[in-house]
Amino acid sequence: MTIHYVSYGGHFDVERATKRLSELNQQAENPQLWDNPEKAQKILKERTSLENGLQQYHDFVQQYDDAKTLYTLGEEANDPPSVLEAAQLLEELKKHLKLAEIECIFSGEADSNNCFLEIHAGAGGTDSQDWALMMMRMYVRWAERHRFKTEILDEQPGEEAGIKSATIRINGHNAYGWAKTESGVHRLVRISPFNSQGKRQTSFASAWVYPEIDDSIDIVIEDKDLRIDTFRSSGAGGQHVNTTDSAVRITHLPTNIVAQCQNNRSQHRNRDEAMAMLRSRLYERELQQRQAQVNALNASKTDNAWGHQIRSYVLHPYQLVKDLRTSHETGNIQDVLDGNLDAFITASLTAQLEGKTLTPTDETDD
């Protein structure tokens, strides 16, 4: 039995991958490899990617064989529960194969990298700040479902509830490839818990995703182009409150791009984290210019309000989550808020692979 997944001209070739992995293992055993650190990093990165792909392939084969055996035994023993369980296992395997199929097509320069996710509250006051916090939780849960690791690098609390903004690093293979289509404005419609009259409230918050870049990509940043400010980290207070000016904000003057970090007690560590974010944002900007495709939905370049949203989350008067670019929708809104975003992300990635432009519709009301 052989499993392979093919989509839009891309595929995972097991025989070729096994042969290439053997070649890379031989190169990695060469003691002179680290005489060229840049080449060594590329070899190890490719080897890890192939190892992950082959392991995933063999896992799929094993899962298929297990389900097939269970089905056969259930049929022979006239055991309907076993047959049903086998069918459920195959259905679950089908979903995982679909995700693997998408991953086979990731071809962007940074698709395999870790990424940064910024969330900003928009129009809607306290409700939008609460919505921004809900979005942060949603994306952290989504990352956990993919077994990605997350780290909150910066978080600005709201005046009454929620957050004004947050920056999260998502670590994992293909993290940027999966998350990149989530950039844009997200709209929430619900009965406001902050309105004493119980009125329906529309709130906005934006997400912006950009890749973390490695040292092999040369981004030149001159000291004269930077303004570095330090400030006291914000927090809930108590015995662990940060009483030193350890938070760091770095502004790249030519582009006015700002990166800041406050999650470490060490000012030097926060500066390093902020510089890493700044380099990544400058790299993403360079990619956009090189491709001549400035993303009109980028959170830093659009109004965080009506007319720019990519997805609506309606809790009242009915329950519906709808992506305004692909028209994919579901009524299970709690499942989505708990991080089950893969159907929406897959729809967006598939549309891109088919050469479609992800442009939101003009829907502005529900």
Side-chain angles (χ1 to χ4, degrees), residues 38-309:
E38 182 177 337
K39 180 181 178 181
Q41 289 287 356
K42 290 181 178 179
I43 288 175
L44 295 180
K45 184 176 181 179
E46 183 182 356
R47 184 176 71 169
T48 299
S49 178
L50 287 173
E51 288 174 340
N52 291 339
L54 285 168
Q55 183 61 53
Q56 184 182 58
Y57 169 81
H58 292 303
D59 287 345
F60 286 156
V61 172
Q62 186 62 55
Q63 291 169 32
Y64 177 84
D65 288 343
D66 290 345
K68 184 179 178 181
T69 299
L70 180 61
Y71 180 85
T72 301
L73 293 175
E75 282 280 282
E76 293 175 351
N78 193 24
D79 181 11
S82 294
V83 173
L84 178 60
E85 182 181 354
Q88 291 172 339
L89 289 174
L90 287 172
E91 190 63 30
E92 190 66 22
L93 176 58
K94 182 179 178 181
K95 294 178 182 178
H96 290 310
L97 281 169
K98 178 63 177 177
L99 298 181
E101 187 179 53
I102 292 291
E103 286 192 326
C104 280
I105 317 301
F106 285 156
S107 58
E109 294 179 80
D111 280 349
S112 64
N113 292 17
N114 303 330
C115 68
F116 297 104
L117 168 67
E118 288 186 7
I119 297 173
H120 298 274
T126 301
D127 279 279
S128 285
Q129 292 172 11
D130 187 53
W131 171 223
L133 180 61
M134 292 169 64
M135 280 180 57
M136 184 173 77
R137 174 186 177 275
M138 178 179 72
Y139 282 116
V140 169
R141 291 288 185 90
W142 169 79
E144 291 172 350
R145 286 171 178 255
H146 281 258
R147 297 182 181 178
F148 295 149
K149 295 181 180 180
T150 60
E151 181 184 4
I152 298 176
L153 300 179
D154 185 64
E155 183 177 346
Q156 301 294 323
E159 287 87 354
E160 299 180 32
I163 58 173
K164 294 180 180 178
S165 64
T167 303
I168 307 168
R169 175 192 279 119
I170 302 177
N171 294 334
H173 183 62
N174 286 334
Y176 177 65
W178 278 112
K180 61 185 179 182
T181 60
E182 288 298 288
S183 289
V185 178
H186 299 243
R187 174 168 61 111
L188 175 70
V189 181
R190 63 172 175 174
I191 298 296
S192 172
F194 306 102
N195 188 304
S196 59
Q197 298 179 0
K199 292 184 177 180
R200 190 172 72 155
Q201 176 74 30
T202 298
S203 310
F204 299 89
S206 64
W208 183 25
V209 182
Y210 50 97
E212 183 177 44
I213 59 174
D214 55 41
D215 293 334
S216 65
I217 300 175
D218 187 22
I219 299 294
V220 178
I221 303 177
E222 299 187 23
D223 290 341
K224 65 181 180 63
D225 292 333
L226 299 179
R227 186 178 72 239
I228 302 177
D229 302 308
T230 59
F231 59 97
R232 185 162 299 178
S233 297
S234 60
Q239 61 178 336
H240 299 297
V241 67
N242 192 335
T243 57
T244 63
D245 291 341
S246 62
V248 175
R249 180 187 297 113
I250 302 178
T251 304
H252 186 249
L253 299 176
T255 61
N256 204 33
I257 291 176
V258 178
Q260 68 180 42
C261 183
Q262 62 167 333
N263 69 315
N264 301 293
R265 290 181 177 273
S266 166
Q267 184 181 113
H268 295 292
R269 178 71 186 278
N270 283 332
R271 186 184 186 280
D272 290 343
E273 296 277 16
M275 279 299 295
M277 284 188 280
L278 179 62
R279 291 180 70 241
S280 295
R281 293 187 65 175
L282 289 172
Y283 174 66
E284 173 70 1
R285 182 174 180 271
E286 175 64 24
L287 284 181
Q288 290 179 347
Q289 290 179 341
R290 189 189 314 167
Q291 298 169 1
Q293 294 177 344
V294 178
N295 186 354
L297 299 177
N298 203 325
S300 67
K301 299 180 179 68
T302 61
D303 294 330
N304 202 347
W306 287 111
H308 298 283
Q309 62 272 11

